[in-house]
Amino acid sequence: MKPLICLSATAALLLAACGPSASTQAPAKSSGGGGGRQEVWAAGSSTVFPFATRVAENVARTGGGRPAKVESLGTGGGFKLFCGGPGSAYPDIADASRPIKKSEFDKCVANGVTDIVEIKIGYDGIVIANAKGGPAYDFKLEQIYRGLAAQLPAGTGFAKNGAKTWNQVDPALPGDPILVYGPPPTSGTRDAFLELALEKGARKLPAMEALHAAKEEEFKAKSHTLRSEGVWIDAGENDNAIVQTLEKTPHSLGVFGYSFLDNNMDKVKAAKVEGVSPTFATISSGAYPLSRSLYIYVKKANIGVTPGLREFVAAFVSDGATGKGGYLQDRGLIPLPAADHAAQKDVAKTLPIVAAPKS
């Protein structure tokens, strides 16, 4: 888990919020809601993190009160903490770069977290990037799968993936070594990358498509298992650290959210996927194959109990934040279409409970 990052409108508030006691002591538990804690607590996706911190800054500056605290733990890590139970010892909000899974939802319910509100805040794309001076890549989904899957179909079974360079996967690709820095298993970015890139790439192969039709769970296990042996390297939840690594190792690739590409265009460049570059337009239209939705999940029971929670949620879905031309667009968020954005603002007001996911 990375250190807690707290935000405030003034230096005095920063010292108060982020001093030793704030970073080492958990709030006391309460019987329900967020009572006993005097600030909003959001935890989860490293992709949503910069957007949540920007909202926290804006709310603290314009509304006063205690600044929200925001943690970057990865989507899975955020849901684990969020679903730990009700009360002030657990976050009010889970930031997520994918929808909540059934297993996570069931854990929430088992621990007494039953009234969960799902709010979609915008879109993002997963990019495969390298240093500005590196070769240009245009990946087909099948090539990504063939390069990064731990095992590939061979005869009537599977064999260890032995490709060392990208041109061994396909002569059309550069001859650089297959070396990819990416997010760990707790990350929603990794979950989405496995689903959107490797899983869809695997289904381009007749043997894997047949396995998907006959034994879907085995297909997922095979297509979602990444290579180790120094090929795929878990680089933690800090996507900025991946960007810095690409600068130091120009023959490597990195996997992270579009917002980090957008803020580091002077350092890295993105590969095309199926001939499409990740841009504001291609992600918002869905033309870019590795596009996804971003969410915040809110404990309804904490609204009106945790001071400032209702205001924080409202600020997150405001026109000025997630609307077209809002300040989060400058951070790399791709806004929802106007009608969808209006619908999410209504969700933030009416707080409907999300249904249990199917998987």
Side-chain angles (χ1 to χ4, degrees), residues 133-150:
Y137 285 86
D138 186 349
F139 284 111
K140 295 186 181 301
L141 293 173
E142 177 183 341
Q143 294 168 342
I144 299 172
Y145 166 72
R146 286 186 176 278
L148 295 180

Side-chain angles (χ1 to χ4, degrees), residues 28-35 37 85-92 299 302:
K29 292 185 179 182
S30 68
S31 58
R37 177 162 34 79
S88 61
Y90 306 97
D92 306 291
K299 291 176 179 173
N302 292 21

Side-chain angles (χ1 to χ4, degrees), residues 204-219:
K204 301 285 187 179
L205 279 64
M208 291 300 287
E209 178 63 12
L211 182 62
H212 176 267
K215 300 177 180 179
E216 187 172 356
E217 289 304 314
E218 184 178 345
F219 165 82

Side-chain angles (χ1 to χ4, degrees), residues 263-285:
N263 289 313
N264 292 280
M265 291 288 195
D266 59 327
K267 302 180 181 71
V268 296
K269 62 184 179 183
K272 292 181 179 179
V273 179
E274 299 288 347
V276 181
S277 296
T279 65
F280 184 95
T282 60
I283 294 170
S284 60
S285 69

Side-chain angles (χ1 to χ4, degrees), residues 97-99 124-128 139-142 144-145 188-204 219-220 223-224 255 273-274 283 286 288-294:
S97 55
R98 58 161 172 78
D124 181 43
I126 301 169
V127 302
I128 304 171
F139 284 111
K140 295 186 181 301
L141 293 173
E142 177 183 341
I144 299 172
Y145 166 72
T189 298
R190 176 161 166 159
D191 290 338
F193 180 69
L194 293 174
E195 179 181 346
L196 297 173
L198 268 78
E199 187 173 318
K200 289 186 176 181
R203 294 187 65 177
K204 301 285 187 179
F219 165 82
K220 282 187 175 290
S223 61
H224 285 207
V255 173
V273 179
E274 299 288 347
I283 294 170
Y288 180 63
L290 306 186
S291 302
R292 58 176 174 172
S293 299
L294 303 178

Side-chain angles (χ1 to χ4, degrees), residues 159-247:
K160 182 179 179 181
N161 189 344
K164 301 295 185 183
T165 61
W166 284 109
N167 61 359
Q168 288 178 355
V169 173
D170 191 311
L173 293 173
D176 279 3
I178 304 174
L179 173 61
V180 182
Y181 293 89
T186 54
S187 170
T189 298
R190 176 161 166 159
D191 290 338
F193 180 69
L194 293 174
E195 179 181 346
L196 297 173
L198 268 78
E199 187 173 318
K200 289 186 176 181
R203 294 187 65 177
K204 301 285 187 179
L205 279 64
M208 291 300 287
E209 178 63 12
L211 182 62
H212 176 267
K215 300 177 180 179
E216 187 172 356
E217 289 304 314
E218 184 178 345
F219 165 82
K220 282 187 175 290
K222 292 292 187 183
S223 61
H224 285 207
T225 302
L226 292 164
R227 299 174 68 179
S228 52
E229 83 270 3
V231 172
W232 174 277
I233 299 175
D234 289 343
E237 291 289 355
N238 187 345
D239 290 351
N240 279 318
I242 299 179
V243 172
Q244 294 168 9
T245 298
L246 297 183
E247 289 188 283

